[in-house]
């Protein structure tokens, strides 16, 4: 009996952080989907939340408006077909649904920093904000490039850009994690 308890204690201590990261990510992931259900009309719709704390709508607006601004700087005239769709006049558009926002990747990055960085709260906050801003910037850049590519016929609209981008983005986040571990081991 003693050996089993000792084994479980050793196992939990060794895998505590990966388990915390995994469980926390699952909880945050579920929270985001609950928020989507509460903020979207139908189902669990919560009018106060949809009107006053709809961070998903705000984040989508930030990304689409930023991409629109960049495109306008390059001479493209853009318009919004609706709150989720940005299009180039006389051209193609792109629909930015929840899965394309990068909220899950930002959540994973943030949770990793919270549980893996032994530094101060200030240091953790700097890492979380800088990583989140960079991931958001990459997504805005993706939207901009895709709209140009679709309108110049560089790629077909049937191209699975979402999966392609996600694979690249997760590789970048893994690179962030390795970079963070390297800097953390240097005790900066």
């Amino acid at each position: 009996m003693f050996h089993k308890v000792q084994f479980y204690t050793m196992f939990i201590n060794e895998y505590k952080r990966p388990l915390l990261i995994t469980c926390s990510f699952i909880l945050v992931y579920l929270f985001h989907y609950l928020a989507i259900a509460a903020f979207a009309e139908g189902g669990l719709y919560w009018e106060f939340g949809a009107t006053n704390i709809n961070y998903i709508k705000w984040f989508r607006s930030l990304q689409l408006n930023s991409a629109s601004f960049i495109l306008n700087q390059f001479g493209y005239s853009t318009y919004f077909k609706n709150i989720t769709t940005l299009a180039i006049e006389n051209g193609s558009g792109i629909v930015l649904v929840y899965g394309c926002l990068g909220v899950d990747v930002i959540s994973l990055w943030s949770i990793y920093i919270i549980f893996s960085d032994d530094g101060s709260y200030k240091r953790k906050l700097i890492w979380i904000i800088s990583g989140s801003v960079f991931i958001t910037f990459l997504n805005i850049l993706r939207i901009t490039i895709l709209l140009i590519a679709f309108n110049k016929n560089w790629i077909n609209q049937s191209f699975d850009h979402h999966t392609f981008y996600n694979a690249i983005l997760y590789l970048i986040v893994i690179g962030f994690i390795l970079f963070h571990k390297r800097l953390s081991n240097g005790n900066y």
Side-chain angles (χ1 to χ4, degrees):
M1 178 68 179
F2 177 72
H3 295 293
K4 280 186 179 180
V5 171
Q6 189 177 17
F7 171 76
Y8 291 130
T9 303
M10 182 182 74
F11 178 81
I12 289 172
N13 286 338
E14 185 172 340
Y15 295 103
K16 184 176 175 181
R17 284 188 181 180
L19 287 170
L20 279 170
I21 291 169
T22 302
C23 292
S24 296
F25 179 72
I26 290 168
L27 288 174
V28 169
Y29 187 83
L30 293 173
F31 173 80
H32 291 312
Y33 276 94
L34 179 62
I36 290 169
F39 300 154
E41 289 190 28
L44 301 174
Y45 184 66
W46 177 37
E47 187 176 349
F48 177 82
T51 305
N52 299 302
I53 57 172
N54 191 344
Y55 65 93
I56 295 165
K57 180 180 174 184
W58 299 333
F59 197 53
R60 178 185 293 121
S61 178
L62 167 78
Q63 291 185 35
L64 289 177
N65 281 305
S66 297
S68 176
F69 175 78
I70 294 168
L71 286 163
N72 290 333
Q73 300 310 304
F74 283 98
Y76 292 94
S77 181
T78 60
Y79 69 99
F80 289 88
K81 289 184 176 181
N82 54 48
I83 63 168
T84 61
T85 307
L86 176 65
I88 293 178
E89 289 207 24
N90 300 318
S92 299
I94 189 165
V95 179
L96 191 61
V97 296
Y98 173 77
C100 299
L101 289 174
V103 174
D104 296 335
V105 180
I106 291 170
S107 298
L108 178 63
W109 170 251
S110 301
I111 290 166
Y112 166 78
I113 293 298
I114 289 167
F115 291 113
S116 294
D117 190 316
D118 293 328
S120 68
Y121 291 115
K122 181 181 176 184
R123 184 171 109 175
K124 289 181 184 190
L125 189 60
I126 290 169
W127 275 104
I128 289 169
I129 290 172
S130 60
S132 298
V133 167
F134 186 69
I135 291 166
T136 302
F137 171 75
L138 289 177
N139 209 32
I140 292 166
L141 194 60
R142 169 182 74 131
I143 295 164
T144 305
I145 291 170
L146 277 174
L147 276 168
I148 293 170
F150 289 152
N151 283 283
K152 297 269 188 189
N153 291 319
W154 293 340
I155 58 173
N156 190 312
Q157 287 203 13
S158 64
F159 172 69
D160 187 7
H161 60 86
H162 180 76
T163 304
F164 180 74
Y165 174 74
N166 277 349
I168 290 171
L169 187 58
Y170 277 103
L171 286 173
I172 290 170
V173 170
I174 290 169
F176 272 6
I177 289 170
L178 294 173
F179 177 72
H180 174 266
K181 285 181 87 64
R182 184 173 181 185
L183 282 180
S184 294
N185 290 340
N187 295 325
Y188 63 98

